[in-house]
Amino acid sequence: MAVPTKEEDEDPPISSTSLLSFDTDDCSTSIPPKPPFSSVIFTPLILVTCVSLSTAIIFAYLFFSHSSVSFISHVSRPLQKLKHPVVLLISSDGFRFGYQYKTDTPNIDRLIRNGTEAELGLIPVFPTLTFPNHYAIVTGLYPAYHGIINNIFLDPNIREPFTMASYDPKWWLGEPLWETVVNHGLKAATYFWPGSEVNKGGWTCPESLCKIYNGSVPFEERVDTVLNYFDLPNSEIPSFMTLYFGDPDHQGHKVGPDDPQITEAIARVDGMIGKLIQGLEARGVFEDVNIIMLGDHGMVGTCDKKLIFLEDLARWIKIPKDWIQSYSPLLSIRPPPSYSSKDVVTKMNEGLKSGKVKNGQYLKVYVKEELPDRLHYSESDRIPPIIGLIDEAFKVEQKSSKRNECGGSHGYDNAFFSMRSIFIGHGPKFARGRKVPSFENVQIYNMVTTILNIQGASNNGTSSFPKTILLPSH
């Protein structure tokens, strides 16, 4: 585990200058007069005493300095004001890894500098879309197991469409963190998070602690509401809270990841983090709160010149519009039962590889059972039987159009670096100035339950993972 590189923790410089100088050039045979006996004895004693004291001081400084650093770096810090652990989970939608370098972000930088960061970003689950990933973060489950396999989809068994306004618990499988927390007799508060509006298990989305999504609510109001929770009596402060910002995803879709609007959006989010930090400091609890800041996915630039048209496959197989569940960046196809999915895939790939379909080489189609195992995207009836993986920045459409638009998108293979987001952990359970390797966001669930000292539900995360990120208890 890394030791903070604070200036005051560095070893003091050791001079290379000798304590005694010897001149060997003078070979004179003259015998100098003898000094008095007391001087011969006293002078060396002074020198030896000074050297001993200096050495003792240096070793004492190094020992106690090292001990202090070890305590700060290797053991969780005790709470000063709060009476119980608190986790504040913050999502900045569409915050692609690297955005933090686009402009000055003094407040995010402060969390990074004094906390733990995934050095090359947080890896989203596939598909790299908002609802599947936000719900994966709070359940520790891949979409095939938590049920939200896309932002919009059709369940063939219940014959109903899921939309981002579907609050019926039949859609939302698994046990999200707010449900886990209240099941253990603790309090949870959510200021927007996909699935938090759903009454499920012990969670009833209480009006005072659960906000129904409304994108028009100013970010400042969201931060103020969370800060107000810390004005409650200590025993009433929620142990788990969520805070959601829709930027920079909103701007990224309109202009792509490299437009000045993204820079402005990042600066705005950083300002909200600054407002949050200032409010927590004013209440004397900033160092007591475990803040986890992350994003759900990244963003990549797209333009209509990077298109693949399904109509171009007509000489091999016709793909009617009503077979399509989603086009881009995840192609999902559910043909009628009378068609063999394997046959459809074989004919589609034959056409895509023929060289006669524009940009065909940038799309590969699978029956879902043959998708790469690392995607964990087959074990659900909600996932259509045919899935097309589209290369980064390309899009699939039904037929050619004359549009010439550029913007941004996500949802692609989570192996693409552009789909990564950020992870920053700050607080008593996170080491200061530490960098950790990238990891999948399904690990967050066990991390939070470990901080709160509660038993989580079964999930796809690794039970030992929190030990690699969190400081042990003091």
Side-chain angles (χ1 to χ4, degrees):
M1 209 168 279
V3 176
T5 54
K6 292 184 180 179
E7 187 173 328
E8 64 267 26
D9 293 332
E10 293 176 355
D11 292 347
I14 299 175
S15 173
S16 61
T17 306
S18 300
L19 291 175
L20 296 174
S21 176
F22 294 90
D23 185 358
T24 58
D25 290 335
D26 186 357
C27 296
S28 172
T29 57
S30 61
I31 301 174
K34 291 183 180 180
F37 179 79
S38 60
S39 176
V40 171
I41 298 299
F42 189 68
T43 301
L45 283 176
I46 292 177
L47 288 173
V48 169
T49 302
C50 289
V51 171
S52 299
L53 284 172
S54 299
T55 303
I57 291 170
I58 290 173
F59 275 106
Y61 173 84
L62 291 175
F63 175 81
F64 288 110
S65 175
H66 177 73
S67 298
S68 175
V69 171
S70 295
F71 176 77
I72 290 174
S73 299
H74 297 294
V75 183
S76 62
R77 300 177 288 280
L79 302 180
Q80 300 299 314
K81 188 171 182 179
L82 295 178
K83 302 300 183 184
H84 59 270
V86 172
V87 173
L88 173 55
L89 181 63
I90 304 171
S91 171
S92 180
D93 200 322
F95 198 119
R96 173 176 165 169
F97 179 78
Y99 276 178
Q100 65 270 37
Y101 307 123
K102 281 184 169 290
T103 187
D104 288 337
T105 52
N107 301 296
I108 294 174
D109 290 348
R110 180 179 176 184
L111 296 182
I112 293 173
R113 186 170 60 251
N114 296 307
T116 297
E117 179 192 26
E119 190 167 19
L120 292 177
L122 182 66
I123 302 171
V125 296
F126 178 83
T128 52
L129 297 167
T130 297
F131 269 51
N133 272 275
H134 273 97
Y135 205 53
I137 290 167
V138 295
T139 61
L141 297 170
Y142 292 112
Y145 303 99
H146 68 50
I148 310 303
I149 56 99
N150 206 317
N151 287 339
I152 300 172
F153 60 90
L154 180 69
D155 188 312
N157 296 319
I158 58 179
R159 307 298 298 174
E160 291 180 24
F162 171 87
T163 72
M164 290 183 281
S166 296
Y167 299 149
D168 192 316
K170 67 187 177 187
W171 297 108
W172 307 83
L173 311 180
E175 184 179 288
L177 280 165
W178 44 81
E179 185 179 343
T180 302
V181 168
V182 299
N183 285 348
H184 284 79
L186 305 176
K187 291 185 179 295
T190 58
Y191 209 121
F192 303 160
W193 200 280
S196 62
E197 305 97 328
V198 179
N199 295 327
K200 183 174 172 297
W203 175 254
T204 58
C205 191
E207 185 177 350
S208 61
L209 295 174
C210 173
K211 305 299 178 184
I212 305 299
Y213 182 72
N214 180 355
S216 66
V217 177
F219 289 178
E220 291 82 0
E221 183 177 330
R222 306 180 194 189
V223 173
D224 284 336
T225 299
V226 169
L227 289 173
N228 288 339
Y229 294 141
F230 292 95
D231 294 329
L232 296 170
N234 219 303
S235 61
E236 297 295 313
I237 296 173
S239 297
F240 175 70
M241 310 177 197
T242 70
L243 177 60
Y244 171 84
F245 301 123
D247 289 352
D249 184 70
H250 175 69
Q251 295 83 359
H253 280 292
K254 292 194 303 181
V255 297
D258 300 314
D259 191 271
Q261 285 188 39
I262 293 295
T263 304
E264 295 170 6
I266 296 302
R268 185 183 181 210
V269 170
D270 184 74
M272 293 302 102
I273 298 300
K275 178 178 174 64
L276 176 70
I277 292 174
Q278 186 177 24
L280 293 174
E281 285 183 323
R283 291 162 173 81
V285 297
F286 174 54
E287 293 297 339
D288 280 2
V289 179
N290 292 283
I291 297 173
I292 297 176
M293 182 179 180
L294 46 71
D296 53 344
H297 54 71
M299 185 71 66
V300 68
T302 58
C303 276
D304 283 346
K305 63 183 179 181
K306 292 186 174 182
L307 294 176
I308 303 160
F309 302 110
L310 295 181
E311 68 174 3
D312 292 346
L313 291 170
R315 71 173 71 178
W316 293 273
I317 184 172
K318 290 184 178 181
I319 308 295
K321 187 176 181 179
D322 59 4
W323 289 14
I324 309 298
Q325 301 271 302
S326 66
Y327 285 97
S328 293
L330 171 68
L331 178 62
S332 301
I333 303 174
R334 189 181 294 279
S338 57
Y339 283 79
S340 163
S341 294
K342 279 188 174 290
D343 289 345
V344 173
V345 166
T346 298
K347 292 175 182 178
M348 288 184 70
N349 282 329
E350 183 182 343
L352 293 168
K353 295 175 182 178
S354 69
K356 298 177 181 179
V357 174
K358 181 181 178 182
N359 296 323
Q361 69 271 33
Y362 300 112
L363 169 64
K364 186 172 182 181
V365 185
Y366 299 81
V367 289
K368 67 180 181 182
E369 291 81 8
E370 295 179 1
L371 283 166
D373 290 341
R374 62 181 175 78
L375 297 177
H376 305 281
Y377 201 66
S378 62
E379 297 296 324
S380 173
D381 289 341
R382 294 177 180 179
I383 300 172
I386 298 173
I387 299 295
L389 297 185
I390 307 167
D391 270 17
E392 190 175 28
F394 282 83
K395 296 190 296 183
V396 172
E397 293 185 358
Q398 187 69 31
K399 58 183 180 179
S400 179
S401 67
K402 295 183 179 180
R403 291 183 306 168
N404 188 22
E405 300 172 357
C406 290
S409 191
H410 54 87
Y412 298 96
D413 191 332
N414 62 349
F416 293 138
F417 196 80
S418 61
M419 294 297 103
R420 290 194 187 185
S421 189
I422 58 168
F423 170 85
I424 306 163
H426 181 283
K429 290 295 288 184
F430 294 98
R432 300 185 190 275
R434 186 180 177 208
K435 306 295 183 185
V436 297
S438 296
F439 58 91
E440 281 193 314
N441 61 22
V442 292
Q443 304 287 4
I444 301 292
Y445 179 90
N446 287 338
M447 189 187 305
V448 173
T449 57
T450 299
I451 295 173
L452 298 180
N453 298 312
I454 58 178
Q455 180 63 48
S458 298
N459 62 83
N460 297 128
T462 308
S463 59
S464 61
F465 179 80
K467 294 180 181 179
T468 70
I469 299 292
L470 302 176
L471 295 172
S473 298
H474 59 278

